[in-house]
Amino acid sequence: MTGGKIDCYGTPALTFLWLDPSKSGYKTLIDEVKNGTLSKIDETTFPIDVEAKTCRGFSIAGAKASPNTDVWAPDIFKVGEEKIANVDAVLLVFYYNVKGSVDNVADNIKRIGVLHIKTVDFKLYNNTNAPSSSSIEFDMYWQKHDYDYSKVQVQ
């Protein structure tokens, strides 16, 4: 389950925030990821402001429960069409604790990750519109330890 209340202990809750490269606020992080210079994900490099509901200055409220929209790959894929494409999209990923991600979003994050989707090979099943044997090339970076809110400096 992603992005909702958790009905069963142990069920992961994730949300995804696409870092739009046309927005200057995201550019530094996108460049760090694409250049392989993202050194660490921790409370210093990704501070969470619980009151403002932001992480590294990015609004957490903009995170989605699923990356299954084309917002991160605009105008690349068409329904019913097989295609291999360089997507080069970067998404900030939030993994929530057992309380889920709907309420108290900013003080509920357990770990932070960054997903760099490089290429997508989208294939259809037996000439139907059903996806099949598709593949994605990506890099994934995860916070090494659980987020420690006591390390966040209050502004």
Side-chain angles (χ1 to χ4, degrees), residues 39-59:
S39 61
K40 62 183 173 176
I41 300 173
D42 65 8
E43 298 80 9
T44 304
T45 57
F46 287 81
I48 293 175
D49 183 327
V50 174
E51 294 298 318
K53 294 186 179 355
T54 62
C55 175
R56 195 171 166 154
F58 309 143
S59 175

Side-chain angles (χ1 to χ4, degrees), residues 1-124:
M1 174 179 183
T2 59
K5 288 198 182 272
I6 298 174
D7 297 328
C8 175
Y9 182 80
T11 303
L14 300 169
T15 58
F16 303 85
L17 177 64
W18 174 57
L19 303 179
D20 183 345
S22 69
K23 294 184 180 178
S24 63
Y26 296 140
K27 183 149 179 40
T28 301
L29 179 55
I30 291 170
D31 289 345
E32 284 180 61
V33 172
K34 290 181 180 182
N35 296 330
T37 58
L38 180 64
S39 61
K40 62 183 173 176
I41 300 173
D42 65 8
E43 298 80 9
T44 304
T45 57
F46 287 81
I48 293 175
D49 183 327
V50 174
E51 294 298 318
K53 294 186 179 355
T54 62
C55 175
R56 195 171 166 154
F58 309 143
S59 175
I60 296 171
K64 304 294 181 197
S66 173
N68 67 349
T69 67
D70 68 352
V71 67
W72 51 271
D75 304 320
I76 294 177
F77 298 100
K78 294 180 181 154
V79 174
E81 178 181 279
E82 290 186 345
K83 186 172 187 176
I84 298 173
N86 292 323
V87 176
D88 206 26
V90 178
L91 294 93
L92 196 55
V93 182
F94 301 104
Y95 172 71
Y96 296 88
N97 66 26
V98 296
K99 297 181 208 167
S101 65
V102 174
D103 300 317
N104 303 318
V105 170
D107 63 357
N108 212 7
I109 294 170
K110 187 172 180 93
R111 294 201 184 184
I112 299 167
V114 179
L115 176 63
H116 178 201
I117 301 172
K118 294 179 173 185
T119 59
V120 176
D121 182 0
F122 184 74
K123 294 182 176 145
L124 299 171

Side-chain angles (χ1 to χ4, degrees), residues 108-150:
N108 212 7
I109 294 170
K110 187 172 180 93
R111 294 201 184 184
I112 299 167
V114 179
L115 176 63
H116 178 201
I117 301 172
K118 294 179 173 185
T119 59
V120 176
D121 182 0
F122 184 74
K123 294 182 176 145
L124 299 171
Y125 177 73
N126 289 337
N127 296 320
T128 67
N129 284 337
S132 173
S133 301
S134 299
S135 62
I136 299 173
E137 177 189 0
F138 64 91
D139 288 333
M140 185 73 201
Y141 306 89
W142 273 111
Q143 185 174 359
K144 191 172 186 176
H145 303 286
D146 289 353
Y147 202 90
D148 184 352
Y149 288 89
S150 70

